Amino acid sequence: MSKLRVAVIGAGGRIGSEAVRAVEAADDMELVAALGRGDKLETLTEAGAQVAVELTHPDSVMENLEFCVRNGIHGVVGTTGWTEERLARLNSWLEASPDTGVLIAPNFSIGAVLTMTFARQAARFFESAEVVELHHPNKADAPSGTATRTAQLIAAARREAGCPPQPDATTTALEGARGADVDGVPVHAVRLRGLLAHQEVLFGDTGETLTIRHDSLHHSCFMPGILLGARRVVATPGLTFGLEHFLDLG
Ligand SMILES: NC(=O)C1=CN([C@@H]2O[C@H](COP(=O)(O)OP(=O)(O)OC[C@H]3O[C@@H](n4cnc5c(N)ncnc54)[C@H](OP(=O)(O)O)[C@@H]3O)[C@@H](O)[C@H]2O)C=CC1
Ligand SMILES: O=C(O)C1=N[C@H](C(=O)O)C[C@H](O)C1
């Protein structure tokens, strides 16, 4: 059986360098290109890449994906910074290239995907919900893509269940003291040397709280999700948002 021809964009980065090693080690894949900043995107077509794993920066991801989709190269995207406007642009490129698939995964680790799933399940049972994400201080953006997605999922589940807005009578003397408001869910971002990627989802109601915590301790935790994404995206045209769509979560 022929091997899947995979390229990594952002190959010199924290997660990109780990992805290069993971693709090289996968029996069913061949690493055909490893691009860093300044490398020509045409390398991807010259190398015959079928899938590009995009792990760069929110400022770079759109140009890279536009090239990939226009050239029929499937995308597995971990880079953050997704807005409705960006997703609409990506969808317009995909409409013009209907056989091409792109997976955007706010988080490739199974623990983080389960955290989002559990948070969505719990959301309608508690009056209050807050998200705290904690990362290394070199992270590109805040709040994290995972925290934003978690808050959006909580808010959507609460809306669907007809829950009222959560109570908060606080008067803030200092802007930012209550975190960022993501669809009515406060999201707090901690940046601390020594950390990698962590998240707590806090739920509260009368007389009880529930805390869901996930810790990524090494970039290796993202690799099974990236490899699964590469295997599945080639047969999944259009946009898939979230690795959970490629997992059987029961
Ligand atoms: N979805 C997930 O599970 C995960 C997502 N991420 C996300 O992935 C992204 C990268 O994170 P991280 O590895 O920590 O960041 P790093 O800064 O360590 O790595 C990014 C790399 O991409 C390079 N780069 C930037 N622009 C381009 C470009 N146009 N073409 C090629 N290479 C480019 C950078 O080069 P230079 O150093 O020269 O700028 C750098 O080597 C972030 O958005 C992060 O949030 C991270 C971990 C998990
Ligand atoms: O930059 C990181 O490190 C991470 N970024 C992603 C995010 O913003 O959610 C995934 C994970 O948290 C690690």
Side-chain angles (χ1 to χ4, degrees), residues 9-10 12-15 36-37 56 60 78-80 105-108 139 222:
I9 315 178
R14 277 176 289 268
I15 183 169
R37 189 187 285 279
T56 61
S60 304
T79 303
T80 45
N107 203 304
F108 287 110
K139 178 165 175 48
F222 304 115

Side-chain angles (χ1 to χ4, degrees), residues 14-15 78-81 105-108 112 133-136 138-141 143-148 191 196-199 216 219 222:
R14 277 176 289 268
I15 183 169
T79 303
T80 45
N107 203 304
F108 287 110
E133 57 95 330
L134 311 91
H135 281 81
H136 60 89
N138 303 106
K139 178 165 175 48
D141 52 356
S144 71
T146 308
T148 302
R191 295 291 173 267
L196 199 158
H198 317 258
Q199 177 163 286
S216 288
H219 279 96
F222 304 115

Side-chain angles (χ1 to χ4, degrees), residues 6-13 15-17 19-20 31 33-37 39 41 44 51-57 60-61 63-65 67-68 73-76 79:
V6 179
V8 176
I9 315 178
I15 183 169
S17 53
V20 164
L31 182 76
L35 272 58
R37 189 187 285 279
D39 288 340
L41 287 170
L44 299 172
V51 179
V53 180
E54 217 288 355
L55 302 163
T56 61
H57 189 280
S60 304
V61 64
E63 182 186 347
N64 292 340
L65 276 186
F67 179 91
C68 289
I73 300 169
H74 307 283
V76 172
T79 303

Side-chain angles (χ1 to χ4, degrees), residues 91 94 101-105 233 236-246:
N91 269 319
L94 284 166
V102 171
L103 165 69
I104 298 174
V233 77
T236 314
L239 175 62
T240 302
F241 197 94
L243 187 67
E244 62 273 20
H245 299 290
F246 288 172

